[in-house]
């Protein structure tokens, strides 16, 4: 059955595309979780939605529209936001406005023809099963850029995320770093949207990383765990889509459900890990404080 | 090309007629003093006197409005690796996601760009400095589960690991009990002596520091006074500084300043 699965081009594309996006989402997601910017990441998917539908309306590749819109939004947030964390109000406004624009573009666009209605649905729910090699190249490009930027910035980014005052004193350009990170998130969400769609992109970005942070306090380990979990969840989701009893449930459903499951499991495990850790101390009473 | 004598003022800190403030409001004026290598200076003064702002000036995070500031003979600049700084308020976000040793490691290479891999040498450096501040016991613990005093030690370790020539500690003794404060003070004064590091330590209580500090820098009322504790923490000097009568009482080898709210 599995061999049969991989003999088709569609599946090979889905598995490779999925892995590329998941690896980057896992790594970037770690910093999103550390910086408590899950809401901003969610907003980027909605902004990407407006960009994608707007581009479709203009007859341009929707991925390009997505990238342009979310990078613009990243720049905007970078300019207004001098605080690393939060900014719920601004983000909430931008998010709802972007969503409104997206809905407008989508309704105009899908009225024009039935095939257009279908591609609108792809934007919302992802198109992992119809992903073309062209799309894979696009995802690869944006994800590779995001990953390279992350590799370059990860140390000052971690420093600034955990200890902003210390980082600033040490000469880390905290504001520039946080703006650059938003751009990284923008590129990554665009890739995620391609795979699982606007509605579920944030789940791939946040759940695996949040689970990893629950399970270890070593940054390197957490990033590796988050990337592995994201790939695992994506691949399992794809396998289930094709072999599950109810066939052709959207892959996005399986992926997001598995991601939530992994996060839930990590919460249970964390409780146990914390309890064990107490005994590592020579003075076992530290946890009570 | 002639070798001009650059500035002779290569001391860790050199200030002449410095004025700083925010938006037209002057915080300190006519500030003039120098600090030599290996000197241990306590910085005192009431809330809002400008202690933290003075440290930020030396770090190049803000600019002065008048006068001349030199740090090791150069203008203050951001990211000066010759200075180690422990901020007064360190809000540690995502507390449970990093270990004590990660926080200390930030002081070593947290500001560097590029990939960067853990090495045995890096680990050894971190272990050594953790040992120095007596924090080895909780090296692997999440920062979020540590007490305030334990975090103060990590903060100091993060500063020391970069091997700076000037150390600025902004109220490192808050959150510490008497024994803990004593331990940090002993550590810092040993550092001054052995590594020839100049230290400016901001505090509200001079007493535990009295046997250790070389000089006291007292800020109040937009002005400052500097000198050994026995000449600065006196009725005469402080009354002039505060511009109203202040009494200094000595009892059991401790000094108590009366008539002001420090
Ligand atoms: N960024 C800022 N903008 C405007 N005013 C500021 C700023 N930072 C500090 N101030 C003002 O400058 C004055 C000196 O502040 P500073 O933090 O240096 O005081 P401090 O001596 O460290 O006091 P404390 O003992 O409470 O820490 C205060 O009145 C404060 O309100
Ligand atoms: Mg202060």
């Amino acid at each position: 059955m599995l061999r049969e699965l991989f003999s088709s081009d569609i599946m090979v594309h889905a598995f490779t595309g999925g892995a590329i996006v998941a690896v980057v989402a896992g790594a970037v997601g770690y910093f999103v979780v550390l910086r408590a910017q899950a809401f901003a990441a969610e907003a980027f998917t909605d902004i990407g939605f407006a960009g994608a539908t707007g581009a479709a309306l203009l007859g341009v590749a929707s991925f390009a529209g997505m990238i342009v819109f979310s990078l613009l939004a990243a720049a905007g947030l970078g300019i207004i936001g001098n605080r690393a964390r939060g900014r719920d109000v601004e983000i909430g406004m931008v998010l709802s406005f972007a969503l409104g624009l997206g809905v407008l573009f989508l309704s105009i666009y899908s009225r024009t023809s039935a095939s257009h209605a279908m591609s609108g649905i792809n934007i919302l729910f992802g198109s992992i099963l119809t992903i073309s090699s062209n799309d894979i190249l696009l995802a690869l490009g944006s994800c590779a850029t995001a990953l390279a930027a992350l590799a370059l910035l990860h140390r000052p980014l971690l420093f600034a995320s955990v200890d902003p005052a210390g980082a600033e004193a040490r000469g880390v350009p905290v504001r520039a770093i946080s703006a650059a990170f938003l751009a990284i998130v923008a590129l990554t969400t665009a890739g995620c949207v391609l795979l699982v769609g606007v509605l579920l992109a944030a789940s791939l970005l946040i759940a695996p990383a949040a689970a990893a942070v629950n399970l270890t306090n070593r940054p390197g380990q957490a990033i590796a765990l988050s990337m592995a979990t994201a790939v695992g969840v994506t691949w399992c989701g794809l396998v289930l889509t094709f072999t599950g009893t109810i066939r052709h449930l959207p892959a996005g459903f399986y992926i997001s459900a598995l991601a939530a499951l992994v996060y839930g499991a990590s919460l249970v495990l964390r409780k146990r890990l914390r309890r064990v850790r107490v005994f590592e101390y020579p003075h076992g009473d530290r946890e009570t404080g | 090309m002639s070798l001009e004598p650059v500035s002779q003022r290569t001391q860790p800190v050199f200030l002449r007629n410095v004025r700083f403030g925010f938006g037209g409001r002057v915080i300190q004026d006519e500030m003039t003093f120098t600090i030599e290598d290996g000197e241990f200076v306590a910085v005192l003064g009431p809330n809002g006197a400008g202690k933290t702002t003075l440290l930020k000036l030396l770090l190049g995070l803000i600019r002065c409005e008048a006068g001349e500031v030199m740090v090791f003979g150069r203008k203050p600049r951001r990211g000066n690796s010759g200075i180690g700084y422990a901020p007064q308020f360190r809000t540690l976000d995502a507390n449970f996601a990093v270990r004590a040793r990660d926080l200390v490691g930030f002081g070593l290479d947290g500001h560097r760009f590029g990939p960067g891999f853990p090495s045995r040498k890096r680990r050894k450096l971190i272990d050594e400095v953790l040992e120095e501040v007596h924090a080895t016991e909780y090296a692997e613990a999440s920062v979020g589960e540590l007490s305030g005093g334990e975090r103060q030690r990590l903060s100091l370790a993060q500063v020391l690991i970069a091997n700076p020539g000037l150390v600025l500690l902004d109220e490192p003794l808050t959150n510490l009990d008497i024994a803990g404060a004593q331990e940090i003070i002993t550590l810092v004064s040993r550092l001054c002596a052995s590594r020839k590091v100049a230290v400016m330590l901001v505090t509200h209580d001079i007493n535990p520091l009295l046997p250790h500090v070389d000089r006291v820098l007292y800020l109040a009322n937009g002005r400052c006074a500097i000198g050994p504790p026995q000449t600065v923490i006196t009725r005469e000097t402080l009354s002039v500084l505060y511009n109203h009568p202040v009494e200094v009482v000595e009892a059991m080898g401790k000094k108590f300043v009366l008539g002001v709210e420090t």
Side-chain angles (χ1 to χ4, degrees), chain A residues 44-265:
Chain A
F44 276 121
T45 63
D46 296 325
I47 292 157
F49 169 55
T53 48
L57 205 58
L58 293 174
V60 188
S62 56
F63 190 74
M66 206 148 68
I67 296 268
V68 169
F69 257 57
S70 24
L71 281 181
L72 279 179
L77 273 179
I79 289 164
I80 59 164
N82 55 4
R83 227 178 343 122
R85 300 168 74 78
R87 301 224 73 97
D88 289 5
V89 175
E90 289 92 334
I91 292 168
M93 313 258 260
V94 173
L95 178 148
S96 46
F97 178 59
L99 212 50
L101 268 186
V103 168
L104 172 73
F105 294 156
L106 185 65
S107 66
I108 298 174
Y109 181 63
S110 49
R111 255 179 234 160
T112 47
S113 82
S115 78
H116 283 178
M118 190 58 217
S119 49
I121 291 209
N122 278 347
I123 293 170
L124 275 177
F125 299 107
S127 51
I128 193 160
L129 300 179
T130 55
I131 203 165
S132 65
S133 27
N134 207 12
D135 282 346
I136 290 187
L137 284 181
L138 282 175
L140 188 65
S142 76
C143 286
T145 313
L147 204 59
L150 197 65
L152 196 70
L153 295 183
H154 75 110
R155 283 184 291 180
L157 180 61
L158 186 64
F159 195 178
S161 307
V162 176
D163 179 8
E168 181 163 35
R170 200 78 174 78
V172 173
V174 177
R175 267 192 83 166
I177 294 265
S178 79
F181 180 64
L182 288 174
I184 292 176
V185 175
L187 286 174
T188 311
T189 46
C192 289
V193 168
L194 206 61
L195 183 69
V196 288
V198 168
L199 297 180
L200 302 168
S203 78
L204 201 53
L205 201 61
I206 290 153
V213 169
N214 275 342
L215 295 181
T216 172
N217 60 1
R218 299 170 182 234
Q221 229 174 49
I223 294 173
L225 191 59
S226 168
M227 295 199 289
T229 310
V231 174
V233 160
T234 307
W235 280 359
C236 290
L238 285 173
V239 170
L240 283 175
T241 307
F242 272 85
T243 60
T245 41
I246 313 166
R247 292 197 175 200
H248 301 297
L249 278 186
F253 161 71
Y254 282 120
I255 293 173
S256 65
L258 284 172
L261 211 65
V262 167
Y263 180 72

Side-chain angles (χ1 to χ4, degrees), chain B residues 103-123:
Chain B
L103 200 65
V104 175
F106 287 155
L108 194 62
D109 53 15
H111 61 296
R112 296 243 167 86
F113 291 90
F117 300 97
S119 70
R120 199 169 294 157
K121 186 165 156 249
R122 182 177 189 274
R123 201 184 157 79

Side-chain angles (χ1 to χ4, degrees), chain B residues 20 22-23 25 27 45-54 56 88-89 170-171 202 204 219:
Chain B
F20 58 81
F22 294 98
R25 189 175 138 229
I27 309 284
N47 292 136
K51 304 180 294 297
T52 300
T53 312
L54 171 64
K56 289 191 173 160
Q88 180 174 8
F89 303 107
D170 203 346
E171 306 205 12
V202 178
H204 286 287
L219 314 189

Side-chain angles (χ1 to χ4, degrees), chain B:
Chain B
M1 198 174 86
S2 67
L3 276 179
E4 266 183 75
V6 195
S7 170
Q8 290 300 304
R9 304 150 192 151
T10 54
Q11 295 99 336
V13 178
F14 172 97
L15 271 82
R16 194 172 62 188
N17 299 332
V18 169
R19 181 172 71 226
F20 58 81
F22 294 98
R25 189 175 138 229
V26 175
I27 309 284
Q28 276 284 322
D29 202 0
E30 292 293 309
M31 207 178 215
T32 300
F33 68 88
T34 58
I35 292 175
E36 306 291 334
D37 283 317
E39 211 182 351
F40 189 172
V41 177
V43 183
L44 286 165
N47 292 136
K51 304 180 294 297
T52 300
T53 312
L54 171 64
L55 302 190
K56 289 191 173 160
L57 185 73
L58 299 175
L59 284 162
L61 296 176
I62 60 156
R63 268 186 236 286
C64 62
E65 292 168 354
E68 192 183 6
V69 184
M70 294 285 202
V71 176
F72 294 111
R74 299 179 60 178
K75 291 231 145 49
R77 59 179 204 282
R78 297 181 68 134
N80 185 343
S81 59
I83 307 182
Y85 170 59
Q88 180 174 8
F89 303 107
R90 215 187 259 278
T91 39
L92 291 176
D93 297 324
N95 265 334
F96 284 94
V98 290
R99 297 164 296 171
R101 67 162 59 254
D102 296 314
L103 200 65
V104 175
F106 287 155
L108 194 62
D109 53 15
H111 61 296
R112 296 243 167 86
F113 291 90
F117 300 97
S119 70
R120 199 169 294 157
K121 186 165 156 249
R122 182 177 189 274
R123 201 184 157 79
K124 193 165 151 274
L125 277 173
I126 295 175
D127 283 339
E128 277 169 10
V129 76
L130 282 168
E131 179 88 53
E132 204 174 347
V133 300
H134 307 293
T136 310
E137 189 190 313
Y138 42 85
E140 306 295 325
S142 302
V143 175
E145 55 192 273
L146 299 178
S147 77
E150 288 165 335
R151 286 188 210 184
Q152 289 287 23
R153 282 183 213 183
L154 294 181
S155 190
L156 187 61
Q158 193 193 74
V159 165
L160 296 184
I161 199 166
N163 218 347
L166 170 64
V167 166
L168 309 175
L169 305 173
D170 203 346
E171 306 205 12
L173 306 180
T174 43
N175 290 331
L176 295 181
D177 57 17
I178 296 170
Q182 203 60 58
E183 204 179 306
I184 294 277
I185 293 167
T186 317
L187 199 94
V188 171
S189 79
R190 217 173 43 211
L191 205 77
C192 288
S194 66
R195 292 209 217 168
K196 280 284 167 210
V197 175
V199 174
M200 293 176 78
L201 186 152
V202 178
T203 181
H204 286 287
D205 181 11
I206 186 65
N207 284 312
L209 287 153
L210 276 177
H212 301 279
V213 291
D214 299 306
R215 285 192 295 164
V216 170
L217 175 65
Y218 207 115
L219 314 189
N221 232 356
R223 286 173 295 178
C224 73
I226 190 165
Q230 63 271 21
T231 66
V232 171
I233 307 181
T234 59
R235 186 171 61 163
E236 294 74 25
T237 313
L238 293 188
S239 294
V240 171
L241 203 57
Y242 279 104
N243 212 6
H244 68 83
V246 167
E247 196 59 62
V248 175
V249 180
E250 288 203 41
M252 298 167 72
K254 293 185 173 174
K255 290 179 191 289
F256 299 95
V257 180
L258 304 178
V260 289
E261 45 342 4
T262 35

